[in-house]
Amino acid sequence: MVSSLRRGREVGRLLFLLLLLASWEEGSGQLHYSVPEEAKHGTFVGRIAQDLGLELAELVPRLFRVASKDHGDLLEVNLQNGILFVNSRIDREALCGRRVECILHLEVIVDRPLQVFYVEVEVTDINDNPPVFPMTIKTIRFHESKLLDSGFPLEGASDADIGVNALLSYKLSTSEFFFLDIQTNDELSQSLSLVLKKPLDREETAGVNLLLVAMDGGKPELTGTVQLHIKVLDVNDNEPVFEQSVYKVKVVENTAIGTLVLKLNASDADEGSNSEIVYSFSSDVSSTIEMKFKIDPNSGEIRTHGHLDYEESKHYEIQVIAYDNGSPSMSGHCKILVKLVDTNDNTPEISITSLSLPIREDASQGTVIALIRVSDQDSGANGQVTCSLTPHVPFKLVSTYKNRYSLVLDSALDRENISSYQVVVTARDGGSPALWATASVSVEVSDVNDHAPAFAQPEYTVFVKENNAPGCHIFTVSARDADAQENARVSYALVERRVGERALSSYVSVHAESGQVFALQPLDHEELELLRFQVSARDAGVPPLGSNVTLQVFVLDENDNAPALLPAGAGALGGARGELVSRSVGAGHVVAKVRAVDADSGYNAWLSYELAPGAGGARSPFRVGLYTGEISTTRGLDEADAARQRLLVLVKDHGEPALTATATLLLSLVESGQAPQAAPSRVAVAGAAAAALVDVNVYLIVAICAVSSLLVLTLLLYSALRCWAPGRGAASVEAKPPVVCASAVGSWSSSQQRRQRVCSGEGPPKADLMAFSPSVPDCRDGEQHPEVADSFKKVSL
């Protein structure tokens, strides 16, 4: 029975809870009450039933009740009168801590029908909590060496109340050594410091006891206290002292690592461990200082630890702290200013820009070629840079600004002399020893057409054999132009003029590009011995420049003319002719003479005479002069000699091959009485003529010697005039000289008497004398004479 009743009650409770959850959000209205904390049991809060509009008689039948989710027993409703009252102690600090609002949420539930009402009860604060310090007694240690106004922070009190009830104020018991410094951060936050206002001396005052009182703003006010026990310590009251507060040191850059910079020597007036000093860099020194320097903690020596570069940093500032071994430790400070001394460890740098290349060889002085900038990272004299150029170049440096220069033209250029310059700029600093750097500029000189083509000689002498093939190459002229490219491209042309009745271009031509000179037709020495003309050379520059060269073309003789016998009317024998010879003439008597001429010259016109083999028999009493052509007796004539003598005279020149002509001479031997009357006279005349000829030849020899001397003098004068005036033309017409030869008897005879034309295009004819060199031996009968054509000399008369 009992278990059944219990089960019924549990089911009823479950149904009630389900109905409660279903109708949790339903209700009619909401109430708000307030009650102070710490209110006594039964303290009136509010007429909740009346305020909710419920009848007092309905409270019990409808199961009126108050539910609180977390604090259901703090408040209760009297079902008889419907009053909400305090059921148990309410501690606001326990419920809400230091929150500004502290509200209890109540749910009023009635059944039949089910209704839920929400009620808020605000718990208001009362000043029921005094200020509380973290500890009741606090021991503070103050060094006797503490300075005035030194502060020691104190932890303030806390108050569990809020608002004015938690607004605290403090006061310190009277003390001649300390006062309380209060700094208000905000309405509820304050900072407390115990500040020294009078120096402490442990020997006079070993300790000070103070009472710190905290008071809140409640009514009535509540207080809290803490006992401050200040213990005066006899500690290390002398800190290390450096000789100087600031040390200034100079260190040469690039000094070796480990070099001593400075040795610190701080002193401490204390004794024992309180005077033992340890050195160190300040904690706020830069990493660069730690990389560059190190300090010995015991000796105070500061040495280099890394590479020092003046260009990286000119000075360093090092903060050093000296700690003693006292307890507590005291420290002293100093500053070290390390100034680096620059060394000449950086070479100058050269930068060349704005090149105006190539430069024309006719550029004016002062033309800017390049801009040059120099720099040196060193300082002072080590960074002062001077610039210079390679000597003997037509350029100079002009300073335009600090360490800036212009490379300008200083003198005239001549590309043909020097076509490019390797200009070396040398920058030298003022250090000791000095450092320098070089930079090279290649200056190309561009060409202008300032040189005419030039021949190696002003005049060339060319020898050409006559009867040449048409179009044969006789010579090549070549002119050199010192310019370049188009300005040096040379073309050749004849300087046209007339040669006699014909144009020069009918004789010769010049190839425009190669300068080859060609003979356009066969040349005839007998017609033209010398052809003198000019060839011009002109370059392709703008404007073009040109020059001329003179060519003297001598037409050399060839043996193309046979000897020709003079006709009988000239006093010589031609063909076959008879002569009467008296048998009474003695040896050496000239009985006749053969005369011949040769149109050639030189050796080719040098004639010799001889009797053909067998002419007159083996015992012929006659002979012929080798070079005179005179027929003379070799012995006296006798009866045994045939009355009729037939002589065949062979006339031969000295050409290669030799050409010949023959003359037949018929001699009739008669008795002296049978000879014509005129014969003696003829012989006498012939003898007188021979004697006269000998006398004439003597004078001729003297004249030839004089002319030879004059020849040497004339050649010297001619060479001097040619050097002085190389452009003067030669004579246009020259006479072909007579060729002479010494005879067996010392006489001379002419091998040729005609005159020839020698043309150079202009000028009157002149007469020349051609003679043997004095070194040529006499021509004698029966002797072999050497070649003498090359020994001929010409003298213009």
Side-chain angles (χ1 to χ4, degrees), residues 111 165 173 232 317 348 403 479 521-522 625 684 773 788:
D111 295 330
N165 297 329
S173 59
V232 180
E317 183 176 309
N403 292 334
Q521 61 183 11
S773 171
V788 294

Side-chain angles (χ1 to χ4, degrees), residues 648-663:
L648 183 62
V649 180
L650 184 65
V651 183
K652 181 169 60 175
D653 61 24
H654 284 73
E656 288 293 339
L659 300 179
T660 61
T662 58

Side-chain angles (χ1 to χ4, degrees), residues 682-762:
R682 179 187 294 180
V683 171
V685 171
L693 181 61
V694 171
D695 295 335
V696 171
N697 286 338
V698 171
Y699 290 113
L700 185 57
I701 291 173
V702 174
I704 290 175
C705 292
V707 169
S708 298
S709 301
L710 182 61
L711 169 65
V712 175
L713 180 60
T714 304
L715 289 177
L716 293 176
L717 292 174
Y718 181 75
S719 300
L721 290 175
R722 278 301 180 90
C723 294
W724 181 256
R728 297 180 60 187
S732 61
V733 179
E734 296 181 358
K736 189 170 183 179
V739 181
V740 294
C741 180
S743 66
V745 293
S747 64
W748 295 78
S749 63
S750 176
S751 65
Q752 187 171 338
Q753 297 298 333
R754 69 183 182 87
R755 299 174 65 84
Q756 295 286 346
R757 294 283 297 173
V758 180
C759 297
S760 63
E762 294 179 357

Side-chain angles (χ1 to χ4, degrees), residues 247-297:
Y247 292 87
K248 295 181 180 180
V249 183
K250 290 184 178 180
V251 179
V252 178
E253 69 168 331
N254 300 323
T255 187
I257 294 177
T259 300
L260 178 65
V261 177
L262 179 66
K263 186 179 187 321
L264 297 173
N265 187 19
S267 59
D268 195 315
D270 296 324
E271 295 180 352
S273 61
N274 292 335
S275 64
E276 295 176 358
I277 299 175
V278 178
Y279 301 91
S280 69
F281 290 146
S282 176
S283 60
D284 57 356
V285 297
S286 64
S287 59
T288 303
I289 298 295
E290 295 178 343
M291 292 173 59
K292 300 294 184 181
F293 304 94
K294 67 177 180 180
I295 187 170
D296 189 309

Side-chain angles (χ1 to χ4, degrees), residues 618-694:
R619 296 184 66 258
S620 174
F622 300 99
R623 67 175 182 180
V624 63
L626 180 61
Y627 297 110
T628 63
E630 294 177 341
I631 307 298
S632 62
T633 59
T634 61
R635 56 180 173 79
L637 301 176
D638 54 24
E639 295 296 334
D641 294 322
R644 294 182 64 83
Q645 297 284 334
R646 181 183 177 86
L647 300 179
L648 183 62
V649 180
L650 184 65
V651 183
K652 181 169 60 175
D653 61 24
H654 284 73
E656 288 293 339
L659 300 179
T660 61
T662 58
T664 302
L665 183 62
L666 298 177
L667 299 179
S668 297
L669 303 182
V670 297
E671 296 299 330
S672 59
Q674 297 177 353
Q677 293 298 323
S681 63
R682 179 187 294 180
V683 171
V685 171
L693 181 61
V694 171

Side-chain angles (χ1 to χ4, degrees), residues 273-349:
S273 61
N274 292 335
S275 64
E276 295 176 358
I277 299 175
V278 178
Y279 301 91
S280 69
F281 290 146
S282 176
S283 60
D284 57 356
V285 297
S286 64
S287 59
T288 303
I289 298 295
E290 295 178 343
M291 292 173 59
K292 300 294 184 181
F293 304 94
K294 67 177 180 180
I295 187 170
D296 189 309
N298 298 319
S299 65
E301 292 181 346
I302 299 177
R303 296 181 180 271
T304 59
H305 186 57
H307 176 70
L308 300 179
D309 188 357
Y310 178 85
E311 288 70 40
E312 177 183 337
S313 179
K314 296 178 177 54
H315 64 273
Y316 296 93
E317 183 176 309
I318 306 174
Q319 297 283 352
V320 177
I321 300 177
Y323 294 95
D324 60 23
N325 286 327
S327 180
S329 177
M330 298 190 69
S331 62
H333 303 264
C334 76
K335 181 187 296 184
I336 302 172
L337 299 179
V338 179
K339 183 178 180 181
L340 295 188
V341 178
D342 182 43
T343 61
N344 195 22
D345 60 338
N346 289 279
T347 57
E349 297 179 356

Side-chain angles (χ1 to χ4, degrees), residues 94-390:
L95 288 176
C96 301
R98 297 188 61 82
R99 290 201 300 268
V100 176
E101 291 185 352
C102 185
I103 297 176
L104 298 176
H105 296 279
L106 302 178
E107 293 176 355
V108 178
I109 304 171
V110 293
D111 295 330
R112 303 173 186 170
L114 179 62
Q115 287 182 306
V116 178
F117 302 94
Y118 300 102
V119 178
E120 291 181 352
V121 178
E122 181 181 1
V123 180
T124 60
D125 182 54
I126 64 172
N127 192 23
D128 58 340
N129 291 285
V132 177
F133 287 95
M135 57 185 67
T136 58
I137 299 175
K138 182 177 181 61
T139 300
I140 301 175
R141 290 180 174 81
F142 255 80
H143 305 299
E144 62 176 337
S145 60
K146 278 290 184 178
L147 301 178
L148 294 179
D149 296 328
S150 297
F152 187 87
L154 297 176
E155 188 174 354
S158 61
D159 195 316
D161 296 324
I162 63 171
V164 177
N165 297 329
L167 187 60
L168 302 181
S169 60
Y170 299 90
K171 67 178 180 179
L172 183 67
S173 59
T174 303
S175 171
E176 62 176 324
F177 296 102
F178 299 96
F179 67 90
L180 184 65
D181 181 35
I182 303 175
Q183 300 291 332
T184 302
N185 300 326
D186 52 35
E187 294 181 353
L188 300 177
S189 176
Q190 292 175 324
S191 296
L192 306 180
S193 294
L194 189 63
V195 181
L196 182 66
K197 65 179 180 179
K198 181 180 179 180
L200 294 173
D201 187 353
R202 193 198 65 83
E203 287 71 27
E204 294 181 2
T205 306
V208 177
N209 293 316
L210 299 175
L211 178 65
L212 178 62
V213 180
M215 300 162 289
D216 62 21
K219 296 295 183 179
E221 88 177 356
L222 299 178
T223 62
T225 61
V226 60
Q227 290 287 337
L228 299 179
H229 178 62
I230 299 171
K231 185 176 181 181
V232 180
L233 301 178
D234 185 15
V235 295
N236 184 23
D237 57 351
N238 290 286
E239 60 186 16
V241 177
F242 289 96
E243 295 176 352
Q244 300 174 218
S245 60
V246 178
Y247 292 87
K248 295 181 180 180
V249 183
K250 290 184 178 180
V251 179
V252 178
E253 69 168 331
N254 300 323
T255 187
I257 294 177
T259 300
L260 178 65
V261 177
L262 179 66
K263 186 179 187 321
L264 297 173
N265 187 19
S267 59
D268 195 315
D270 296 324
E271 295 180 352
S273 61
N274 292 335
S275 64
E276 295 176 358
I277 299 175
V278 178
Y279 301 91
S280 69
F281 290 146
S282 176
S283 60
D284 57 356
V285 297
S286 64
S287 59
T288 303
I289 298 295
E290 295 178 343
M291 292 173 59
K292 300 294 184 181
F293 304 94
K294 67 177 180 180
I295 187 170
D296 189 309
N298 298 319
S299 65
E301 292 181 346
I302 299 177
R303 296 181 180 271
T304 59
H305 186 57
H307 176 70
L308 300 179
D309 188 357
Y310 178 85
E311 288 70 40
E312 177 183 337
S313 179
K314 296 178 177 54
H315 64 273
Y316 296 93
E317 183 176 309
I318 306 174
Q319 297 283 352
V320 177
I321 300 177
Y323 294 95
D324 60 23
N325 286 327
S327 180
S329 177
M330 298 190 69
S331 62
H333 303 264
C334 76
K335 181 187 296 184
I336 302 172
L337 299 179
V338 179
K339 183 178 180 181
L340 295 188
V341 178
D342 182 43
T343 61
N344 195 22
D345 60 338
N346 289 279
T347 57
E349 297 179 356
I350 304 175
S351 174
I352 301 177
T353 58
S354 302
L355 300 178
S356 299
L357 298 174
I359 181 172
R360 288 171 57 93
E361 64 176 321
D362 61 349
S364 60
Q365 294 187 21
T367 300
V368 177
I369 299 170
L371 300 179
I372 300 173
R373 178 179 180 181
V374 296
S375 61
D376 195 313
Q377 295 182 9
D378 295 322
S379 62
N382 298 330
Q384 294 177 358
V385 182
T386 57
C387 288
S388 61
L389 290 181
T390 312

